[in-house]
Amino acid sequence: MASATRYRSRYIAGQLLAWWPAILLGLMVLMAILAPLIAPLDPNRQDLLGRLKLPGYEGRGGTYWLGTDELGRDVLSRMIYGSRVSITVAVLSVLLSGIVGVTVGMLAGYLRGWPETILMRLVDIFLSIPAILLAIITVAVLGPSFFNVILVLALTRWPRYARVAYGQTMSIARRPFVTLARSMGCSVPRALLLHILPNIISPILVVATLEFGLMVLFEAGLSFLGLGVQPPTASWGAMLSTGRNYVTSAWWIATFPGLALFLLVLSANLIGDRVSDIIGKGR
C-alpha cells in the first residue's frame, strides 16, 4: 500500500514536472485575461509621496506587494496589466505572420514556375534584413502604437513560416492524392486548404510555438527602446527601461518584470520543444 502511494506520488510529481511550462503559461494567460479582477490597485494611479517604496509597503489605497515605481504606481498591478500587452501582441503577431507566411509558402510550393521565383526571392530579401533592425525602422516610420507593433512584428517574421510551408508543400504536392485532385479540376484555393494545409500544419505549429516566445522578446525590446506600446499603458519592456535608471536604489522595478519576461519566454520555448518532440515521434 505504501509503495503504491509512493509510486502514485512520484507519477504525479513527474507529470507536473513535465508539464510545468504549459501550466505556467496557462497561469500567465489567465492572469492577463483576469487582470481587471485580480490587480490589487489601479496600474496608472500615481502617488508621488509613495514613490520608490520597497516591496510590502503599505500606503494610500492598500499594500504594494512588489513595491512602487518612480511615480508611486503599484509594480504588481502594472506587471499584471503588462502581461496583457505582451501576450496579446505575441498571439496576434504570430497569427498574422503565420497566415501571411503560410499562404506565400504554399502558393510558391504548389504553383512553382515564375510565382515560385518571385515569392521566394521576396522571402530571401526579407530574410537578408536583420529582423530587429527592420522592426525598428518600420515602427519609426509608422509611429509607435499597439497595433503598429503587431503589424511590424508580423511583417518581420512571416518569411520563416513561408520557408517551412514552401518546403513542406513541395513534398506534399507530389503525392498521388494531390495529383489526382488537380487532374479532376480542383481549384488552387481548394487544393491548398483541403489537401495541402492539413498535411503541413504540424511543422507550422512547431514554428508558431517557438515564434511566440520570440514575439514576446521583440515586443519587450521595442517597448524598452520607446518604440512599442506608449505610456501610460503598462508594458514589461517599458518597465525594464524605466527600472534600469533605478537599479541601485529601486531594484524591484526592473527585477520583477524581467523575471516574468524570462519565465514567459522560457515556458513558451519549452512547450515548442515538447511539441516538436511529440510530432517527431508521431511520424
Side-chain angles (χ1 to χ4, degrees), residues 264-279:
L264 178 58
V265 175
L266 177 63
S267 60
N269 289 341
L270 291 177
I271 290 172
D273 291 339
R274 187 171 181 83
V275 170
S276 179
D277 293 339
I278 293 173
I279 292 176

Side-chain angles (χ1 to χ4, degrees), residues 211-227:
E211 283 288 297
F212 177 85
L214 192 58
M215 293 297 98
V216 172
L217 284 178
F218 274 8
E219 184 279 326
L222 291 175
S223 296
F224 184 88
L225 296 173
L227 299 175

Side-chain angles (χ1 to χ4, degrees), residues 120-163:
M120 295 314 296
R121 294 298 77 76
L122 182 63
V123 170
D124 291 337
I125 291 173
F126 273 86
L127 288 175
S128 64
I129 305 173
I132 189 63
L133 177 60
L134 180 60
I136 292 174
I137 294 174
T138 308
V139 170
V141 172
L142 297 178
S145 70
F146 179 80
F147 293 104
N148 283 348
V149 169
I150 296 173
L151 180 63
V152 165
L153 294 181
L155 179 66
T156 57
R157 299 307 299 174
W158 68 267
R160 185 174 182 185
Y161 294 92
R163 294 295 292 268

